[in-house]
């Protein structure tokens, strides 16, 4: 059996293929066309594996671009797919924090990765990957450099989590001579507090898994642990959780085990 999950996010497109007990993954920038990015990344992984699209038994699409994927057999929300993928990557997870390019979400799950409850922030860029991109640009840094800049620094207080106002505040702090690393540390603490409040609203206290590209920011992970007073685990392929979850749901569909999705 060959099944696939395609997760088209605002920044990156991820594809996971499950073949027996093996999982193969590919990640590429989404660019301007979610439809083209999904199909192109799917076909590139098929070519790498040396199989044709017709050999794939079932494909599930997810992410904000899922509705544009005409080649998938089923579209499933990213909440459901991230929950399933995180539970698979970190068995025993009770909660998932996922910070994407355009939203952040906290999902309460059971031991099988089924969604029990969730909170999603998709109304503004505060606390999202986009927020970090904007503020990193204002600092003249790349997002990948933020964790190193903040390491061991005393965080400054930031009064705004609005991406527009925070950018202005960061520029003002730089003009006042504040250390760049201290500003980044302040950003991480502010984001961690915002996400921690979402976790606490769901009444979650432990067994927390952190997914998405922002999860690679080690300083932000440490800030989350400090705010929550609990261990926050980042799986090795944290960016692939949605795609892997989609592929697992595709396998459930083929095996007739997906009744709980309806």
């Amino acid at each position: 059996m060959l099944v696939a999950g395609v997760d088209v996010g605002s920044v990156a497109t991820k594809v996971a293929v499950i073949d027996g007990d093996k999982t193969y993954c590919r990640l590429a920038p989404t660019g301007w066309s979610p439809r083209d990015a999904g199909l192109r990344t799917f076909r590139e992984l098929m070519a790498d594996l040396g199989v044709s699209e017709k050999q794939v038994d079932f494909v599930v699409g997810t992410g904000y671009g899922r509705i544009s994927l005409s080649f998938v057999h089923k579209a499933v929300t990213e909440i459901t797919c991230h929950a399933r993928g995180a539970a698979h990557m970190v068995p025993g997870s009770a909660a998932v924090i996922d910070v994407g390019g355009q939203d952040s979400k906290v999902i309460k799950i059971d031991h099988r990765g089924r969604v029990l409850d969730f909170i999603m922030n998709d109304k503004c860029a505060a606390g999202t990957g986009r927020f970090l991109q904007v503020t990193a640009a204002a600092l003249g840094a790349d997002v990948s450099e933020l964790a190193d800049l903040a390491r061991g620094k005393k965080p400054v207080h930031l009064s705004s989590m609005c991406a527009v106002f925070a950018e202005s505040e960061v520029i003002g702090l730089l003009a006042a001579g504040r250390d760049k690393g201290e500003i980044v540390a302040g950003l991480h603490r502010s984001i961690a507090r915002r996400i921690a409040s979402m976790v606490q609203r769901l009444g979650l206290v432990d067994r927390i898994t952190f997914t998405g590209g922002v999860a690679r920011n080690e300083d932000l992970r440490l800030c989350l642990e400090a705010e929550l007073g609990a261990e926050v685990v980042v799986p090795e392929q944290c960016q692939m959780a949605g795609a892997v979850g989609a592929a697992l749901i595709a396998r459930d569909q083929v095996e007739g085990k997906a009744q709980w999705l309806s």
Side-chain angles (χ1 to χ4, degrees), residues 65-150:
R66 65 185 182 276
I67 58 174
S68 65
L69 302 176
S70 59
F71 65 96
V72 305
H73 297 96
K74 187 179 181 68
V76 178
T77 71
E78 58 264 43
I79 297 290
T80 299
C81 291
H82 275 88
R84 184 64 191 281
H88 175 77
M89 291 176 167
V90 185
S93 297
V96 183
I97 296 171
D98 182 82
V99 180
Q102 291 187 328
D103 61 45
S104 54
K105 44 192 169 285
V106 177
I107 313 166
K108 184 178 183 179
I109 63 175
D110 70 7
H111 69 284
R112 293 178 58 189
R114 291 182 295 192
V115 178
L116 301 177
D117 200 357
F118 71 94
I119 296 175
M120 188 170 185
N121 167 34
D122 59 354
K123 303 301 182 187
C124 69
T128 67
R130 176 61 180 162
F131 177 82
L132 283 174
Q133 280 185 325
V134 169
T135 49
L139 289 164
D142 186 82
V143 171
S144 62
E145 301 173 311
L146 296 180
D148 287 338
L149 284 169

Side-chain angles (χ1 to χ4, degrees), residues 42-54:
F42 174 69
R43 285 177 171 172
E44 288 173 350
L45 183 53
M46 293 298 103
D48 289 346
L49 297 176
V51 298
S52 71
E53 297 171 39
K54 293 182 179 179

Side-chain angles (χ1 to χ4, degrees), residues 27 96 150 152 156 181 231 244 255:
L27 183 149
V96 183
V156 301
E231 182 183 16
V244 170
E255 294 177 344

Side-chain angles (χ1 to χ4, degrees), residues 20 32 40-41 88 92 99 145 156 163 173 181-182 184 212 238 244 249 252 261:
W32 63 273
R40 182 179 62 251
T41 309
H88 175 77
V99 180
E145 301 173 311
V156 301
L173 288 167
E182 293 178 352
V184 177
C238 55
V244 170
I249 291 169
D252 289 346
L261 277 173

Side-chain angles (χ1 to χ4, degrees), residues 187-207:
L187 285 170
H188 288 167
R189 176 177 284 186
S190 297
I191 293 171
R193 283 178 173 167
R194 187 179 183 89
I195 295 172
S197 70
M198 295 167 66
V199 174
Q200 289 156 356
R201 283 163 59 191
L202 289 180
L204 302 168
V205 293
D206 59 10
R207 294 183 291 155

